[in-house]
Amino acid sequence: MAVLYAELARNSLDALPLDRAVLAAFADLARTSAGHVAELGCGPGYLTAHLRDLGLDVFGVDLSPVMIDLAREAYPDLRFEVGSMDALDLPDGKLNGIVSWYSVIHAPPQDVPSYLAEFRRVLAPGGHLLLGFFESEGEPVTAFDHKVTTAYRWPIDELAGLAGEAGFIEVGRMLREPGEDERFRRGHLLMRLGK
Ligand SMILES: C[S@@+](CC[C@H](N)C(=O)[O-])C[C@H]1O[C@@H](n2cnc3c(N)ncnc32)[C@H](O)[C@@H]1O
């Protein structure tokens, strides 16, 4: 499944101008201070490589050793590490930016606050966080049968509220409707850690 996903995902951003726009906005903001950016739940690494191409000093972390092997093979010039987003092997305040692109989607809803708390711990004050996720289109948090394992669609306001409780200030949000081969509306939250 990881190999199939890596093949499908590799050039997926080419057809997604709004996704590229929100990633470019994140990169513009993150570049204003020096420091590392982490893509947490990086999967096969194509987005980590895209962030590098946007001028960021970025590395990837994923729970799946198979995904990390695929990422290292595809992008040997980038750093990828096995690890969990809720227990990162990083000192406090180490990062200048975090991208979690469809990676908190598999976390049971009650666990999401602990992920956000870990993001807050490893980000420097003023650092930026970009969350990409499936939006629930007026429904409460809803589980669905994702190809790999159960995933959840979130009301954008609810996820923004949890991030706010974790100390993040909203910079902006982007919603886009599903494309031809997609099932759900997509949500994107760009946040900044309060100083
Ligand atoms: C849907 S994929 C998204 C991958 C990549 N960000 C992308 O946009 O293609 C979700 C990824 O999150 C990873 N993941 C799930 N829970 C994680 C955790 N607790 N820590 C790190 N990675 C995790 C999975 O292994 C998987 O590679």
Side-chain angles (χ1 to χ4, degrees):
M1 194 55 93
V3 172
L4 180 64
Y5 183 77
E7 277 168 20
L8 289 175
R10 192 176 178 99
N11 299 313
S12 56
L13 285 172
D14 292 354
L16 299 171
L18 288 174
D19 297 40
R20 292 201 307 276
V22 81
L23 289 161
F26 167 84
D28 276 1
L29 291 168
R31 271 197 311 264
T32 55
S33 9
H36 301 291
V37 170
E39 194 209 346
L40 302 178
C42 62
Y46 74 95
L47 193 79
T48 319
H50 184 75
L51 294 167
R52 182 267 319 274
D53 294 345
L54 291 172
L56 298 177
D57 180 1
V58 62
F59 64 97
V61 176
D62 201 281
L63 195 57
S64 157
V66 177
M67 285 291 194
I68 290 298
D69 282 348
L70 288 167
R72 286 177 178 153
E73 195 181 307
Y75 309 102
D77 54 325
L78 285 174
R79 178 156 69 96
F80 294 99
E81 289 167 11
V82 176
S84 183
M85 293 186 287
D86 57 354
L88 292 161
D89 186 16
L90 289 170
D92 294 0
K94 176 76 179 166
L95 299 177
N96 181 42
I98 290 176
V99 174
S100 163
W101 198 250
Y102 299 91
S103 57
V104 294
I105 60 169
H106 297 296
Q110 66 274 16
D111 292 351
V112 169
S114 67
Y115 283 67
L116 292 167
E118 183 68 346
F119 297 174
R120 177 188 59 205
R121 183 186 72 76
V122 297
L123 265 182
H128 286 88
L129 167 65
L130 176 61
L131 297 173
F133 55 96
F134 298 103
E135 216 275 336
S136 67
E137 299 171 44
E139 300 296 321
V141 180
T142 306
F144 69 95
D145 55 334
H146 185 276
K147 281 190 193 101
V148 178
T149 181
T150 303
Y152 298 85
R153 300 166 61 197
W154 279 83
I156 194 164
D157 285 335
E158 194 170 332
L159 202 49
L162 286 182
E165 285 167 22
F168 290 96
I169 297 159
E170 185 168 336
V171 176
R173 56 178 66 190
M174 192 274 277
L175 286 171
R176 74 163 174 80
E177 297 308 314
E180 255 178 39
D181 301 326
E182 296 174 334
R183 289 162 76 188
F184 305 122
R185 180 182 293 164
R186 307 304 175 104
H188 309 82
L189 279 170
L190 185 49
M191 321 284 296
R192 174 170 45 81
L193 188 59
K195 292 200 177 178

